Amino acid sequence: MSIETTIDRVSAIRAAIADPAELVNGSGATGGTAAPAASGTGATAASPFAAALAQASAGYPQAEAGVATPEEGLSGASSGLSGTGSSYGTTAMPGAMQESGGSGARVAAVAETQIGQAEQPPGSNEGPAIAEYRSATAGAMPGEPWCAYFASWAARQAGEPIGASGQGLGSVSEIWSWAQSTGRAVTNGPGVVPKPGDLIVFGGEHVGIVRGVLPDGRIETVEGNYENKVSANVRSAGEATGYVSMS
């Protein structure tokens, strides 16, 4: 491009800048301008301002086909924020978007709130708290051993009632039979690690609720009707005969 041509183009741009109101269809109105006519709609003449810009920019390199302009890079189909190539909007969020804890954790949390509740008088299998635990088991009898009543109550309070109809269960053997019939029964053995909220079963004699597992493999529990109260205990890994999954 010659120096003379460049000078002519610079002069055209200066003329356009000197009086833009005159060049934009001679209008000095403020507050915005009309949208430009779409190509092919019958517009017959460009404004003097547009003509001056066209003259000044003639001959300069244009964007190549297939090369996105800055605007296309922000809002086009390849945009990483809103376009079809985005991985952000289609990727499932990790655990923070899921429900915290779970049913087993809720059972354990409910059981923990009752630690220290005791029979009145000791050895009677009675008291206000024990009567409340019995209310979660259909057909529960006053004065009866209440470890299964307590497990049934904690499960119901957590929204995971036990029993075929959610009616609660009054004996350890009934709990284990229900667990077997529903695929929840886990016989204890090498490598078996319970989860918080699982029911921990000791033969047909006693049942508690898993609170956690210590680094050395011992099991933290909350047990109703242990020494006449709801007790927090620590059991050896091999002490239980099995577990009932509540997760």
Side-chain angles (χ1 to χ4, degrees), residues 69-116:
T69 66
E71 291 79 11
E72 290 169 343
L74 290 175
S75 61
S78 61
S79 168
L81 294 177
S82 61
T84 57
S86 170
S87 60
Y88 182 87
T90 58
T91 302
M93 297 295 287
M97 292 295 290
Q98 302 173 4
E99 181 183 355
S100 176
S103 56
R106 292 195 301 272
V107 174
V110 168
E112 287 177 352
T113 68
Q114 301 301 299
I115 293 172

Side-chain angles (χ1 to χ4, degrees), residues 119-131:
E119 298 174 357
Q120 299 177 12
S124 66
N125 287 334
E126 279 299 336
I130 286 74

Side-chain angles (χ1 to χ4, degrees), residues 16 19-27 36-37 43-55:
D19 192 4
E22 178 64 26
L23 289 171
V24 183
N25 296 326
S27 172
T44 57
S47 70
F49 183 72
L53 286 180
Q55 178 185 354

Side-chain angles (χ1 to χ4, degrees), residues 1-10 54-61:
M1 181 184 296
S2 68
I3 294 176
E4 290 80 3
T5 301
T6 301
I7 291 172
D8 289 342
R9 289 172 179 166
V10 171
Q55 178 185 354
S57 61
Y60 283 94

Side-chain angles (χ1 to χ4, degrees), residues 106-177:
R106 292 195 301 272
V107 174
V110 168
E112 287 177 352
T113 68
Q114 301 301 299
I115 293 172
Q117 293 286 358
E119 298 174 357
Q120 299 177 12
S124 66
N125 287 334
E126 279 299 336
I130 286 74
E132 172 65 22
Y133 305 149
R134 284 200 302 266
S135 70
T137 301
M141 298 295 293
E144 292 293 317
W146 51 277
C147 64
Y149 294 158
F150 175 70
S152 296
W153 178 86
R156 173 170 288 186
Q157 291 295 112
E160 290 292 324
I162 66 176
S165 302
Q167 77 276 17
L169 298 169
S171 71
V172 181
S173 59
E174 286 179 327
I175 289 176
W176 188 249
S177 294

